[in-house]
Amino acid sequence: SFLIFFALIFVMVYFAVRYRKSRNPVATEIPGSPWLEVLWIALPTLLAVAMFMYGLTGYNFLRHPPAGAMEVTVHSKQWAWSFEYADGRIVPALVVPSGRDVRLTLTSDDVLHGFYVPDYRIQVDTVPGMKTLAGLKAGAPGTSDILCTVYCGTAHSNMIAKLVVLPPATYEDWYAGKEVELGLEPAAGAHGMAGMEEESGSVLALLRAKGCVNCHSVDGSRGAAPSLKGLGGQEVELVAGGKTRKLVIDASYLRRAILEPGAELVKGWPDIMPKGEFSEDELDSVVAWIEGLR
């Protein structure tokens, strides 16, 4: 960009000075040069073709990962990413071994989202009702942001996950279920999660995978939705069918609020929560966890 900018500015200034009126009171016809015309057509053409072929190589890898690549399914929903591995585990971060080709199959549970890893120059839309593919070549160990590039609702800006690249031996330990430090920081909107457990299978990891903590904080701070801290036993005003009533939050209400979030709204909060998708065991664990969060 700098090269082209200064080349254009130089030529513009040169022509303005060289052919100014005081030196050229009468317009001068400058004869053309066929060789010069061929040159300025051929060089940009070669440059454009070279750039196209370079881009096509990267695009082909993105859309057609090589055979034998590690497979991960990427789930997107309002407002969280989750990653499913071949053994069925689902985790809130994309963990891969360095130097390995990865084949990502992307799906959306609700609306359009955009899977974007700036460090890897990868951007692929996830579309409800269809699967899209993306190829990734894991680089050196480290972490990278995963963002959403398609506006998908109130907490769109909080839809952030991490790509964690581990040394191959460390990755094998992690995949085998051993305790490995991933160095994850809480995502934007996941207030109060620093220092709290996030291992696969924990309630907190489940809430992250489902996108709950992108709106509901766990430390009492205000987010896009009421904080989960101290929610159990709290008296609230509910609005349903235009009528208001008071209620003390208990397990029964929490279950209804997760499964049918728009049926009864806490007064003063918008109807933005998507329907929760939990198994009975997961729902029991989440409800008990929220009730005990003080």
Side-chain angles (χ1 to χ4, degrees):
S1 295
F2 275 110
L3 177 64
I4 294 172
F5 174 78
F6 284 113
L8 289 174
I9 294 298
F10 172 79
V11 172
M12 183 179 72
V13 172
Y14 172 78
F15 271 66
V17 174
R18 174 67 178 80
Y19 298 104
R20 66 188 186 274
K21 186 176 180 179
S22 60
R23 294 190 59 182
N24 237 29
V26 179
T28 304
E29 180 180 355
I30 302 173
S33 167
W35 288 109
L36 185 59
E37 292 183 16
V38 169
L39 184 65
W40 71 43
I41 292 173
L43 287 180
T45 300
L46 290 174
L47 178 62
V49 170
M51 293 173 65
F52 172 78
M53 294 305 298
Y54 180 76
L56 182 62
T57 302
Y59 179 79
N60 279 335
F61 178 82
L62 177 65
R63 305 301 296 174
H64 305 285
M70 187 180 91
E71 303 234 8
V72 180
T73 300
V74 179
H75 298 278
S76 59
K77 63 175 296 183
Q78 295 173 307
W79 289 277
W81 301 102
S82 58
F83 306 92
E84 182 177 355
Y85 287 78
D87 62 357
R89 82 176 71 183
I90 298 178
V91 295
L94 177 55
V95 184
V96 297
S98 63
R100 184 78 182 272
D101 292 326
V102 183
R103 174 189 173 97
L104 302 173
T105 302
L106 302 106
T107 65
S108 172
D109 295 344
D110 38 45
V111 299
L112 282 172
H113 299 282
F115 180 82
Y116 179 42
V117 189
D119 288 349
Y120 284 76
R121 275 62 169 179
I122 293 174
Q123 197 280 318
V124 180
D125 286 349
T126 68
V127 185
M130 67 178 288
K131 295 180 179 180
T132 49
L133 295 178
L136 182 150
K137 178 79 169 182
T143 60
S144 301
D145 287 330
I146 298 173
L147 312 175
C148 178
T149 56
V150 178
Y151 180 71
C152 53
T154 303
H156 160 70
S157 60
N158 291 341
M159 193 168 170
I160 301 173
K162 290 290 185 181
L163 165 63
V164 181
V165 180
L166 299 175
T170 306
Y171 173 81
E172 291 301 327
D173 289 342
W174 174 84
Y175 196 76
K178 298 179 182 178
E179 190 170 333
V180 172
E181 176 58 50
L182 299 181
L184 296 177
E185 292 294 329
H191 314 296
M193 292 175 62
M196 300 181 76
E197 280 193 66
E198 294 184 87
E199 293 87 3
S200 175
S202 73
V203 173
L204 195 55
L206 177 63
L207 293 177
R208 284 203 64 179
K210 298 292 186 180
C212 306
V213 292
N214 284 348
C215 295
H216 298 278
S217 75
V218 296
D219 65 350
S221 60
R222 187 179 178 87
S227 176
L228 299 181
K229 185 176 182 179
L231 200 57
Q234 185 182 135
E235 185 179 72
V236 293
E237 278 192 275
L238 299 179
V239 180
K243 297 181 180 180
T244 303
R245 69 186 180 98
K246 290 187 177 180
L247 174 139
V248 175
I249 293 177
D250 57 10
S252 176
Y253 168 75
L254 289 173
R255 291 177 69 91
R256 296 199 308 273
I258 293 170
L259 298 177
E260 297 293 339
E264 298 174 297
L265 298 177
V266 177
K267 190 174 182 179
W269 294 94
D271 182 11
I272 61 172
M273 179 172 164
K275 182 178 179 180
E277 296 179 1
F278 296 87
S279 68
E280 278 300 313
D281 288 343
E282 289 175 339
L283 190 58
D284 289 341
S285 298
V286 168
V287 169
W289 189 85
I290 294 174
E291 285 192 298
L293 185 61
R294 302 297 179 190

